[in-house]
Amino acid sequence: MYKSEQEYLKNYNVHRYDIPMLSIDIGIFTILNGKLHVLLIERGEFPYKERWALPGGFIDQSQDQDLHSSALRKLTEKTGVTTPHLEQVETVGNATRDPRGWSVTSLYMALIPYAPTSKFIDSVSDVRWWPYEQAIKLDLAFDHLELIAKARARLKSKTAYTIIPIHVLSSPFTLTQLQQAFEELLEKSIEKKSFRRRILSADVLEEVGQGLPAGGLGRIAALYQPKQGCEQHSFVWSLGN
């Protein structure tokens, strides 16, 4: 018998019980040409070699202080960029999702303004922005079809009551661009006057002048950028209503 917890921990063998594989998977979303896209990589190794999958990888105990830092590291490794929005969606684990054995993954959702995949740095066979509706028709690796659907559902849900769509736009942007982003993520149209009234009364944007929106396309209009701390705002009434 051990006389103290310190003695017990000193002699404890972490491998006494089976340890499942622990990983992070990230649903990275953007809007391109008005449509929701998700970033997928083509796997270069077995299992599921040459199959498309979500970016991610195993947790590194020597580098990762917690799940969020692991997700940030994997995001940087895969894209070379930092995301304005990264959140945990769900943790999934079972004996069937990975053919190598019992596996647990923590699913995260990230939003970034569109960037060409040529700028991404991960050493995989291929990396590509897929239109969401095409991505969910692919024969994806592991249980990533299920994971993408979970991340998409979270994104749609939060769009209804937060300002989250700003994270898929490059600043500055017009109110029209912002409304189009909301509508795409909500999968429904929003009445223009009602949208503008709610957004402007929420005081989450600051006007930065007039001109062409990011990308140089469209008509001259008032341009906006997010105010600091706007991510904390929740709409009293859902924009999805």
Side-chain angles (χ1 to χ4, degrees), residues 21-23 25 43 46-48 58 93-105 141-144:
M21 292 178 287
L22 301 175
S23 63
D25 288 301
R43 289 181 56 79
F46 296 109
Y48 299 115
F58 290 114
N94 55 56
T96 59
R97 63 175 306 274
D98 191 318
R100 292 169 291 189
W102 227 103
S103 171
V104 175
T105 190
F142 306 104
D143 57 351
H144 287 191

Side-chain angles (χ1 to χ4, degrees), residues 57-194:
F58 290 114
I59 293 170
D60 188 331
Q61 295 184 59
S62 66
Q63 297 187 65
D64 305 329
Q65 296 182 350
D66 52 33
L67 289 174
H68 193 80
S69 62
S70 182
L72 282 173
R73 178 177 61 82
K74 297 311 299 184
L75 178 71
T76 302
E77 289 177 358
K78 301 299 179 180
T79 68
V81 302
T82 56
T83 176
H85 185 85
L86 178 69
E87 69 172 85
Q88 188 180 42
V89 176
E90 188 173 330
T91 296
V92 177
N94 55 56
T96 59
R97 63 175 306 274
D98 191 318
R100 292 169 291 189
W102 227 103
S103 171
V104 175
T105 190
S106 186
L107 171 64
Y108 276 76
M109 175 183 72
L111 305 178
I112 63 174
Y114 170 73
T117 54
S118 60
K119 295 183 179 180
F120 295 166
I121 61 176
D122 186 67
S123 56
V124 294
S125 298
D126 195 6
V127 56
R128 188 184 307 173
W129 285 112
W130 285 84
Y132 179 78
E133 295 302 326
Q134 292 184 26
I136 59 176
K137 296 177 182 179
L138 297 173
D139 186 16
L140 299 177
F142 306 104
D143 57 351
H144 287 191
L145 181 60
E146 176 186 349
L147 298 186
I148 287 179
K150 289 178 181 293
R152 176 66 179 100
R154 171 67 67 83
L155 178 56
K156 182 176 181 178
S157 173
K158 294 202 71 172
T159 297
Y161 64 91
T162 73
I163 196 71
I164 197 172
I166 62 171
H167 299 306
V168 296
L169 297 176
S170 296
S171 294
F173 49 78
T174 65
L175 289 180
T176 296
Q177 287 178 310
L178 184 59
Q179 180 173 343
Q180 290 171 346
F182 268 91
E183 291 177 333
E184 174 65 12
L185 299 187
L186 284 171
E187 299 180 291
K188 64 179 297 182
S189 60
I190 306 173
E191 200 278 322
K192 182 177 179 179
K193 289 184 179 179
S194 175

Side-chain angles (χ1 to χ4, degrees), residues 198-211:
R198 282 183 166 181
I199 290 295
L200 294 177
S201 64
D203 197 29
V204 292
L205 304 177
E206 58 183 4
E207 189 172 349
V208 292
Q210 290 193 334

Side-chain angles (χ1 to χ4, degrees), residues 25-41:
D25 288 301
I26 312 173
I28 307 173
F29 296 103
T30 195
I31 287 184
L32 172 61
N33 297 326
K35 296 296 182 181
L36 181 67
H37 283 60
V38 60
L39 188 72
L40 298 178
I41 62 170

